[in-house]
């Protein structure tokens, strides 16, 4: 078997792709007021080829955020409002019975659902029952949908952004751990500053919001996702990322804060996510190699939804950020 060809990257192509990433963020920034860190993490997740779970109270522009991302990358966008009566077929699709007018023969034809898109906004995903939530599992992991024994491939790229309201829990179904693990990053959307809120109110009550301008074509996006995989990371940093993930497990950790405040640690997929997200961050900053700071910056968004605090942590008001900061302080790079 012939060896797989190594992808060659010229300096000019890398510089052009990095410039398009900056243009993408700038295009979104003309629509999204403030929230620079949220936009940064969202683009990082997209370049890493993962999916994002966004948490924030209503009215912070989460829908506008993902819509502007789709517009700026010229990707197809669909939105599904998750409700308790939503069925799996409402997401993945169903078979319809058709009759041939000439032969009068009847046959079933698969009618694709809204998941057959490039950017899918799963709005308030925790309002749908577990059976409906699980309909997204195969799509998120395998980029395909199996229905009636037939596998249907999803478009490329395929990016799921799911939202949750962290306050209102009445009538919701917590996401199972298997599904949470499929999200590369969890992104918290906070309140804007006073100046940002003034600007937001003035802009949206005057002439209305403009669409984001296309800043990146699909070919460039797919090329960027390929480039992220080829970003260099030293063996010592891979081991560092692995140690950080393993240290979240209270059964084997040496970190006192984890032993005291964590009920369940992260699995191996978290290590993969941490390395990929760190590679994407390095590329967005114009670097072709991962540093320790990249791993540290991605630690919270990668692990926040994969590490479960115990009752003692909740009672003491210990935040996940505090636990992970203690982790960073104790786990060192070789």
């Amino acid at each position: 078997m012939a060896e797989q060809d190594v992808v060659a990257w010229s300096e000019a192509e890398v510089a052009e792709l990095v410039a398009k990433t900056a243009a993408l963020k700038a295009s979104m920034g003309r629509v999204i007021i403030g929230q620079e860190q949220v936009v940064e993490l969202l683009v990082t997740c997209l370049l890493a080829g993962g999916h994002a779970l966004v948490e924030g109270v209503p009215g912070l522009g989460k829908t506008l955020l993902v819509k502007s991302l789709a517009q700026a990358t010229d990707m197809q966008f669909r939105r599904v409002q998750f409700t308790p009566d939503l069925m799996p077929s409402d997401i993945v699709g169903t078979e319809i019975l058709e009759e041939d007018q000439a032969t009068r023969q009847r046959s079933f034809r698969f009618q694709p659902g809204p998941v057959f898109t490039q950017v899918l906004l799963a709005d308030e995903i925790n309002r749908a029952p577990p059976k409906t939530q699980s309909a997204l599992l195969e799509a998120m992991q395998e980029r395909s949908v199996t229905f009636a024994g037939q596998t249907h491939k999803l478009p490329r790229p395929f990016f799921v952004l799911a939202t949750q309201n962290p306050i209102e829990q009445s009538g919701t179904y917590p996401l199972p751990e298997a599904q949470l693990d499929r999200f590369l990053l969890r992104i918290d959307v906070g309140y804007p500053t006073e100046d940002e809120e003034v600007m937001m109110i003035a802009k949206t009550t005057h002439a209305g919001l403009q669409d984001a301008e296309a800043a990146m074509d699909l070919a460039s996006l797919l090329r960027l996702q390929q480039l992220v995989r080829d970003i260099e990371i030293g063996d010592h940093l891979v081991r560092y990322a692995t140690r950080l993930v393993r240290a979240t497990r209270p059964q084997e950790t040496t970190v006192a804060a984890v032993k005291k405040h964590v009920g369940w640690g992260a699995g191996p997929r978290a290590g993969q996510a941490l390395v990929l997200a760190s590679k994407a961050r390095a590329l967005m900053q114009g670097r072709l190699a991962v540093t320790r700071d990249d791993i540290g910056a991605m630690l919270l968004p990668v692990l926040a939804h994969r590490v479960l605090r115990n009752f003692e942590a909740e009672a003491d008001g210990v935040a996940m950020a505090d636990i992970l900061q203690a982790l960073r302080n104790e786990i060192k790079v070789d």
Side-chain angles (χ1 to χ4, degrees):
M1 182 180 296
E3 292 185 2
Q4 186 176 2
D5 292 337
V6 177
V7 178
W9 300 97
S10 66
E11 291 185 9
E13 183 181 13
V14 171
E16 181 183 357
L17 290 173
V18 172
K20 287 186 177 181
T21 301
L24 170 61
K25 292 190 293 182
S27 177
M28 295 177 64
R30 286 189 284 271
V31 177
I32 306 297
I33 300 171
Q35 304 292 0
E36 289 88 357
Q37 180 65 17
V38 173
V39 171
E40 181 88 11
L41 288 175
L42 191 63
V43 175
T44 300
C45 190
L46 176 65
L47 297 188
H51 309 289
L53 178 64
V54 178
E55 287 199 359
V57 298
L60 294 180
K62 298 187 293 295
T63 301
L64 181 62
L65 180 71
V66 66
K67 186 177 180 181
S68 67
L69 176 67
Q71 291 170 343
T73 52
D74 198 26
M75 288 193 288
Q76 184 184 17
F77 167 71
R78 288 184 179 175
R79 175 180 179 271
V80 176
Q81 179 64 51
F82 278 63
T83 56
D85 59 347
L86 194 72
M87 299 297 291
S89 58
D90 296 327
I91 300 173
V92 301
T94 187
E95 284 189 331
I96 59 176
L97 184 62
E98 289 187 334
E99 182 178 300
D100 189 297
Q101 296 298 323
T103 64
R104 295 298 181 181
Q105 289 185 342
R106 295 180 178 181
S107 60
F108 284 100
R109 179 176 64 84
F110 179 69
Q111 178 65 39
V115 75
F116 285 85
T117 187
Q118 292 170 320
V119 178
L120 177 68
L121 173 60
D123 214 356
E124 295 188 289
I125 189 173
N126 57 333
R127 290 205 171 276
K131 182 178 180 180
T132 303
Q133 291 178 11
S134 65
L136 277 177
L137 279 176
E138 181 188 3
M140 293 173 65
Q141 185 65 28
E142 307 297 336
R143 265 65 171 183
S144 63
V145 168
T146 301
F147 192 93
Q150 296 292 321
T151 299
H152 307 271
K153 292 293 183 181
L154 294 173
R156 291 186 62 216
F158 176 64
F159 179 57
V160 175
L161 188 143
T163 68
Q164 283 193 135
N165 180 349
I167 298 177
E168 188 179 358
Q169 299 300 323
S170 177
T172 63
Y173 302 84
L175 296 180
E177 299 306 317
Q179 186 159 8
L180 282 173
D181 208 25
R182 262 66 176 186
F183 289 103
L184 185 81
L185 303 181
R186 194 194 82 179
I187 303 173
D188 292 322
V189 182
Y191 289 110
T193 64
E194 181 177 346
D195 289 342
E196 290 171 348
E197 195 161 352
V198 168
M199 190 184 306
M200 184 186 303
I201 293 172
K203 192 172 183 179
T204 56
T205 56
H206 181 53
L209 287 173
Q210 297 180 345
D211 292 339
E213 297 179 356
M216 183 184 296
D217 57 272
L218 290 180
S220 297
L221 176 55
L222 292 172
R223 192 72 170 153
L224 273 163
Q225 290 182 339
Q226 187 179 11
L227 177 55
V228 165
R229 296 275 178 167
D230 291 337
I231 294 294
E232 292 292 331
I233 180 170
D235 293 341
H236 66 294
L237 289 178
V238 174
R239 186 169 294 276
Y240 174 58
T242 304
R243 285 177 177 173
L244 286 170
V245 171
R246 291 177 62 85
T248 64
R249 303 165 191 166
Q251 307 91 329
E252 55 187 76
T253 188
T254 59
V255 181
V258 174
K259 282 184 176 293
K260 183 177 182 182
H261 294 125
V262 172
W264 196 260
R269 192 180 280 117
Q272 297 170 337
L274 185 56
V275 168
L276 269 178
S278 300
K279 286 185 172 187
R281 182 180 188 270
L283 177 61
M284 289 176 64
Q285 297 190 356
R287 291 181 282 105
L288 299 181
V290 174
T291 67
R292 182 181 185 273
D293 289 340
D294 292 323
I295 295 175
M298 291 293 103
L299 196 62
L300 181 60
V302 167
L303 295 181
H305 57 296
R306 291 182 166 97
V307 178
L308 300 182
R309 294 180 302 157
N310 58 22
F311 176 78
E312 186 173 356
E314 296 181 4
D316 293 344
V318 177
M320 182 57 63
D322 300 327
I323 298 173
L324 295 181
Q325 184 58 52
L327 195 72
R328 286 188 64 187
N329 293 340
E330 296 196 31
I331 305 301
K332 305 299 181 182
V333 184
D334 287 338

